């Protein structure tokens, strides 16, 4: 059954990537502007019409949209993402040069968010409707209502301009990632703190806890095995979903903090109408996000053996909901 689930996820990934790349290709072709203007610098230099036509012919821009799409897909099947219009470098090489900072910010944000969210979510649930719970809820309400770029500007003003503690453009220094990671973590923490708090409170009132108390189990056993573990397991697949929003957020954050990452080069390529680089970046981001989500789903399935999948009409269907799991576990404890 696990093998069928993995095959199904791979097929879904291929369909999603095909749709993403095709839509990106069509939208870029329909958008106003011509990459030849940027390549030949038509705004600042005098270029003959024959030279413009020769450049368009060389880049294949005179072909129909369908022919250009077919060339793109055929090259993609050979793992060839093309050549950048601006730098004349392979797109894969360009992506490899800029992907490092984006991955550092993305996974750094995930780690910092979990370090902050899990303790605060637990403290809020253990102090339900007390002062600490209210303070944490106020923090989450404020952080979720402020856009990331506004939080980034505040942190940039305090730590860089006023205190001069953290650099933003010192090449080769890990300190340049502190403010971007903190900026993105503040907004993400709010969501996970609320999720952990609500899961803990829901699990505390579940039949599993009642059955364990009737059996005379210790409060420590109930706290860690019947409350914490089932409450934190649903976070794993959600972390995979968060990767997509984080990579999307790096487009703004990298430009705000002047960090040369994938989001930074993507914005620059859009301005210059560098079609191969835009399509390559979108394809890489889509592939990365889908793979991370697939891994998160498989890990969640492996860590929670109570989940089962039924195959019906060739489609994997989730067999049991959280409520049915509670009832089954409660029956097992009572037995």
């Amino acid at each position: 059954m696990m093998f069928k689930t993995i095959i199904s996820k791979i097929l879904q990934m291929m369909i999603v990537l095909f749709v993403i790349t095709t839509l990106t290709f069509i939208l870029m072709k329909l958008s106003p502007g011509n990459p030849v203007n940027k390549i030949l610098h038509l705004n600042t230099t005098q270029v003959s019409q024959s030279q413009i036509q020769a450049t368009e012919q060389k880049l294949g821009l005179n072909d129909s949209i369908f022919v250009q799409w077919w060339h793109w897909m055929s090259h993609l099947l050979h793992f060839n993402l093309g050549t950048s219009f601006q730098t004349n470098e392979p797109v894969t090489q360009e992506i490899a040069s800029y992907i490092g900072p984006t991955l550092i910010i993305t996974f750094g944000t995930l780690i910092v968010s979990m370090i902050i969210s899990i303790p605060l979510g637990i403290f809020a649930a253990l102090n339900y409707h007390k002062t600490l719970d209210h303070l944490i809820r106020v923090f989450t309400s404020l952080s979720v209502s402020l856009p990331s770029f506004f939080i980034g500007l505040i942190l940039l003003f305090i730590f860089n301009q006023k205190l001069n503690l953290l650099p933003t453009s010192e090449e080769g220094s890990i300190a340049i990632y502190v403010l971007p990671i903190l900026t993105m973590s503040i907004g993400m923490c709010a969501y996970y703190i609320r999720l952990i708090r609500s899961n803990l409170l829901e699990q505390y009132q579940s039949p599993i806890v009642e059955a364990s108390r009737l059996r005379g189990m210790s409060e420590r056993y109930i706290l860690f095995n019947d409350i914490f573990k089932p409450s934190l397991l649903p976070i794993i697949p959600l972390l995979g979903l968060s990767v997509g929003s984080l990579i999307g957020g790096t487009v703004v954050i990298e430009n705000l903090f002047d960090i040369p990452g994938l989001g930074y080069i993507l914005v620059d390529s859009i301005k210059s109408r560098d079609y191969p680089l835009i399509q390559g970046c979108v394809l890489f981001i889509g592939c990365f996000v889908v793979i991370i989500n697939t891994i998160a789903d498989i890990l969640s399935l492996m860590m929670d053996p109570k989940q089962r999948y039924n195959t019906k009409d060739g489609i994997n269907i989730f067999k049991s909901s959280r409520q049915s799991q509670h009832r089954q576990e409660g029956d097992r404890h009572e037995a």
Side-chain angles (χ1 to χ4, degrees), residues 23-305:
L23 287 178
T24 303
F25 183 88
I26 294 174
L27 290 175
M28 287 306 304
K29 294 300 180 182
L30 295 179
S31 62
N34 191 337
V36 176
N37 298 340
K38 298 290 183 178
I39 296 173
L40 299 179
H41 305 285
L42 296 184
N43 296 330
T44 57
T45 59
Q46 294 291 333
V47 180
S48 63
Q49 187 64 31
S50 60
Q51 190 173 356
I52 295 176
Q53 293 177 354
T55 304
E56 291 179 344
Q57 183 69 29
K58 178 182 177 181
L59 298 177
L61 299 177
N62 291 332
D63 299 329
S64 64
I65 293 180
F66 178 78
V67 173
Q68 294 182 50
W69 174 83
W70 177 253
H71 289 161
W72 155 251
M73 293 301 297
S74 60
H75 290 157
L76 185 61
L77 293 176
H78 292 87
F79 302 99
N80 180 11
L81 298 180
T83 303
S84 171
F85 288 165
Q86 297 297 314
T87 63
N88 289 324
E89 297 289 340
V91 171
T92 52
Q93 183 176 330
E94 291 286 321
I95 294 175
S97 301
Y98 291 96
I99 190 58
T102 301
L103 294 182
I104 292 175
I105 294 175
T106 299
F107 288 105
T109 301
L110 284 177
I111 294 172
V112 172
S113 298
M114 290 300 100
I115 292 175
I116 298 174
S117 300
I118 293 176
L120 290 183
I122 292 174
F123 291 151
L126 293 178
N127 296 273
Y128 180 63
H129 276 185
K130 295 181 181 179
T131 303
L132 183 58
D133 182 28
H134 291 308
L135 291 176
I136 293 175
R137 292 173 67 183
V138 169
F139 165 74
T140 57
S141 298
L142 287 175
S143 60
V144 78
S145 61
L146 296 175
S148 60
F149 72 87
F150 183 73
I151 297 175
L153 288 174
I154 294 176
L155 296 178
L156 194 62
F157 176 76
I158 295 174
F159 291 100
N160 185 261
Q161 300 297 323
K162 289 296 183 182
L163 302 179
N164 197 24
L165 292 177
L166 296 172
T168 57
S169 58
E170 185 178 340
E171 189 175 354
S173 175
I174 196 67
I176 65 174
Y177 299 109
V178 174
L179 288 180
I181 290 175
L182 186 59
T183 299
M184 300 186 69
S185 297
I186 290 175
M188 178 162 286
C189 282
Y191 174 75
Y192 281 101
I193 290 172
R194 291 182 175 184
L195 177 65
I196 293 171
R197 175 183 177 273
S198 61
N199 285 350
L200 287 172
L201 293 176
E202 178 185 353
Q203 198 68 27
Y204 183 79
Q205 300 173 354
S206 67
I208 301 176
V209 176
E210 297 177 5
S212 294
R213 288 203 173 100
L214 290 175
R215 294 175 59 221
M217 306 301 295
S218 65
E219 286 297 321
R220 177 178 295 182
Y221 174 87
I222 294 173
L223 191 63
F224 285 97
N225 291 274
D226 294 338
I227 297 179
F228 282 171
K229 184 179 178 181
S231 298
L232 298 180
L233 276 176
I235 296 177
I236 297 176
L238 292 178
L239 289 175
L241 294 175
S242 297
V243 171
S245 61
L246 286 176
I247 292 183
T250 57
V251 174
V252 177
I253 297 301
E254 288 175 359
N255 283 272
L256 177 63
F257 291 96
D258 196 26
I259 295 178
L262 199 60
Y264 186 92
I265 193 63
L266 180 59
V267 172
D268 186 65
S269 61
I270 291 174
K271 293 178 181 178
S272 60
R273 296 296 187 272
D274 194 341
Y275 297 152
L277 188 55
I278 296 171
Q279 293 160 190
C281 289
V282 172
L283 177 63
F284 178 84
I285 292 174
C287 186
F288 182 78
V289 171
V290 172
I291 290 175
I292 292 295
N293 277 277
T294 302
I295 294 174
D297 290 341
I298 295 174
L299 285 177
S300 177
L301 181 62
M302 294 174 63
M303 295 179 66
D304 189 1

